[in-house]
Amino acid sequence: MSAPPPEHLAESRSAALFARAQKVMPGGNSRITIFFPPFPPYAVRGSGCRITDVDGVERIDFVNNYSSLIHGHCPPSVVSAVQHQVEQLFAVGLPTEAEIELAELLCARIGSVDQIRFANSGTEAVMFAIKAARAFTGRTKIAKIEGAFHGSYDPSEISLASEPGNWGPVDRPASVPLCHGTPVSMLEEVIVIPQNDVETARRRLREHVDSLAGVLIDPLPSRLCYAAPSPEFLTMLREETQQSGALLIFDEVYSFRLGYGGAQGDLGITPDITALGKIIGGGLPVGAVGGSAEVMAVFTSDGGTPRLVHGGTYNANPVTMSAGLAAMRMLTPANFEQLNKLGIRLREGMREVLSRLDVPGTVRGQGSLTSLRFSTSTADTYRDIVTDGADMHLADRIHRALLENGVLCTQTMLFILSTPMDEAIIDDTLDRFEMAVRTARERTS
């Protein structure tokens, strides 16, 4: 079934559900990332790489729950693992073997991780990675990249959405709060550095060498439209943290889907702490923080109070552990090779469509992750992205046209692949993408 035309949107069941939702939830939702005007389609079921909404409209899913569903929707082996587990045990105030098995698998795949602990979200994973760096070093300050997203935690939110009026000089970025009510004292604990400006970042880190607990970085930041940190920049961060005694923290909640051992497996840079989430839960809520045995010792008690107390009612929930184990066992090097090929095919196809239709745009990404931005600038830094003059109105119209043409991507024009996809799906998507671009150019609102 095709999506309803714009003039009939108000008659849809999704519209009615959104009206109900607004009465009982602020904004009508529980996460800001799923809303777009006038209302989002409400999902009812998914299979493989397709999702169906309450109006019966089926779409190819390039959101994949913001990258957490690397095998798409309801893969049989994961469904079977979950069904078996829920017949045995939902949740329990005791450990289970599934927790050990998933920890063993992840430690075996990630060279920098000797030990790991589980949480319930990527936000929690990054939060405890930061707390672990503080507990290990006895210091308090964290450095992070300007504009990079690391979840909903005061330190990691700093300068996520700063603007020209408050972001300060380029060689000394200001620490800008995201949310009203962020303590001023928190701003003083976060050092903001520009990505890929090696010398500015080096100087900023050295200014705080005695108080710096860790440097937090995402190997492929989504909010920076997949502008990757350069090898020179990463090498500098590794050198500076080693010399200062601070810890290098990789946020691989998102980028772990780039390779069998995560992004770090191909970068040649070994972090001290890694935050994980999304794909390691097999579609269920999950987070994890891992690192060397020396660093992870902050979580141990040795008969007393640990340097870092870490609890959580649903940490290592057996259903999540079983789903994650099934999903990760399915995820082979061959899967990554295929996803990489499909990602290249999608990106090259999008560039060809934009060129043929004479639409200014930049397409980039790695592996299963693709970003589309309607600007002629490559926008390699956060400030470039904010000021590059990208046509956001065109992006909104294309996003809506894609929805009407059976393609679900993020409103920020991210396209995230899953293993059920093949070349035919990509080629079909490119045809629909071309139709959407043509439709969007004809519309003025």
Side-chain angles (χ1 to χ4, degrees):
M1 180 177 177
S2 61
E7 60 268 22
H8 296 304
L9 286 176
E11 301 173 11
S12 74
R13 291 190 62 200
S14 286
L17 288 174
F18 183 62
R20 283 176 57 193
Q22 288 178 296
K23 295 177 182 178
V24 291
M25 290 179 281
N29 61 70
S30 290
R31 48 177 174 166
I32 193 171
T33 51
I34 56 89
F35 174 75
F36 42 84
F39 54 84
Y42 277 68
V44 67
R45 63 182 177 276
S47 178
C49 64
R50 300 180 187 274
I51 191 78
T52 303
D53 69 21
V54 293
D55 292 296
V57 178
E58 182 182 86
R59 297 180 176 89
I60 304 170
D61 186 3
F62 284 94
V63 176
N64 282 299
N65 196 30
Y66 290 86
S67 86
S68 69
L69 303 176
I70 199 164
H71 296 302
H73 297 276
C74 304
S77 63
V78 176
V79 171
S80 177
V82 170
Q83 288 175 335
H84 174 75
Q85 183 58 56
V86 296
E87 291 172 356
Q88 309 298 318
L89 195 64
F90 277 68
V92 63
L94 293 168
T96 66
E97 186 176 3
E99 173 184 6
I100 302 171
E101 291 178 317
L102 183 54
E104 288 172 337
L105 183 151
L106 293 170
C107 289
R109 289 196 185 186
I110 310 171
S112 68
V113 174
D114 297 329
Q115 295 182 330
I116 197 166
R117 286 178 74 99
F118 293 103
N120 296 289
S121 69
T123 288
E124 285 187 30
V126 172
M127 178 176 71
F128 278 102
I130 291 173
K131 290 165 73 75
R134 288 171 169 165
F136 182 80
T137 62
R139 305 169 185 172
T140 59
K141 291 185 179 179
I142 296 294
K144 65 154 295 191
I145 303 300
E146 187 173 39
F149 175 74
H150 298 284
S152 301
Y153 178 46
D154 282 346
S156 54
E157 288 180 337
I158 299 301
S159 293
L160 172 62
S162 55
E163 301 172 346
N166 61 19
W167 62 23
V170 67
D171 62 344
R172 190 174 292 275
S175 295
V176 180
L178 176 65
C179 301
H180 292 282
T182 301
V184 174
S185 59
M186 182 59 64
L187 306 181
E188 298 170 352
E189 298 296 335
V190 180
I191 306 152
V192 180
I193 56 178
Q195 180 165 281
N196 292 339
D197 186 337
V198 172
E199 293 311 314
T200 293
R202 188 196 306 275
R203 175 180 52 77
R204 294 279 286 160
L205 296 180
R206 289 183 176 180
E207 288 173 353
H208 302 274
V209 65
D210 294 328
S211 56
L212 183 64
V215 177
L216 175 64
I217 189 165
D218 183 335
L220 196 69
S222 61
R223 286 292 292 268
L224 273 63
C225 303
Y226 299 144
S230 67
E232 296 79 11
F233 189 74
L234 289 172
T235 298
M236 179 275 296
L237 294 182
R238 181 66 286 183
E239 290 173 349
E240 293 299 316
T241 49
Q242 286 178 333
Q243 291 173 11
S244 68
L247 302 188
L248 181 60
I249 306 168
F250 267 22
D251 176 357
E252 291 230 40
V253 172
Y254 210 111
S255 64
F256 192 60
R257 65 162 32 236
L258 291 178
Y260 190 73
Q264 62 189 266
D266 296 322
L267 288 173
I269 301 291
T270 303
D272 300 296
I273 307 176
T274 298
L276 298 168
K278 294 191 183 291
I279 69 168
I280 71 166
L284 297 184
V286 74
V289 56
S292 67
E294 181 184 14
V295 170
M296 294 300 288
V298 299
F299 291 97
T300 61
S301 61
D302 294 326
T305 301
R307 280 179 283 174
L308 175 53
V309 177
H310 175 222
T313 301
Y314 290 99
N315 288 1
N317 174 275
V319 182
T320 295
M321 297 294 98
S322 298
L325 185 61
M328 294 305 296
R329 282 175 172 168
M330 288 172 60
L331 197 55
T332 66
N335 288 146
F336 287 105
E337 183 178 354
Q338 175 67 2
L339 286 170
N340 290 343
K341 289 179 179 178
L342 295 179
I344 291 170
R345 192 181 188 97
L346 178 65
R347 289 186 286 275
E348 290 181 346
M350 284 182 165
R351 293 186 188 109
E352 193 277 329
V353 168
L354 295 178
S355 175
R356 181 154 38 82
L357 299 183
D358 195 27
V359 175
T362 300
V363 182
R364 64 181 166 196
Q366 294 179 23
S368 59
L369 302 171
T370 293
S371 166
L372 172 60
R373 188 167 177 82
F374 295 99
S375 167
T376 55
S377 169
T378 54
D380 291 324
T381 70
Y382 172 70
R383 297 190 182 202
D384 289 342
I385 291 170
V386 172
T387 60
D388 70 351
D391 192 338
M392 304 307 294
H393 295 295
L394 177 61
D396 287 342
R397 295 198 301 272
I398 290 177
H399 180 259
R400 173 55 63 182
L402 282 167
L403 286 173
E404 295 166 7
N405 278 279
V407 176
L408 177 65
C409 66
T410 74
Q411 193 178 16
T412 54
M413 304 306 288
L414 302 182
F415 293 78
I416 300 161
L417 307 186
S418 60
T419 58
M421 294 179 176
D422 57 20
E423 292 181 356
I425 290 290
I426 299 301
D427 292 343
D428 181 25
T429 298
L430 289 170
D431 289 341
R432 296 172 189 237
F433 173 67
E434 180 169 348
M435 288 189 289
V437 174
R438 291 182 183 276
T439 298
R441 287 200 307 181
E442 297 170 358
R443 294 179 179 172
T444 58
S445 61

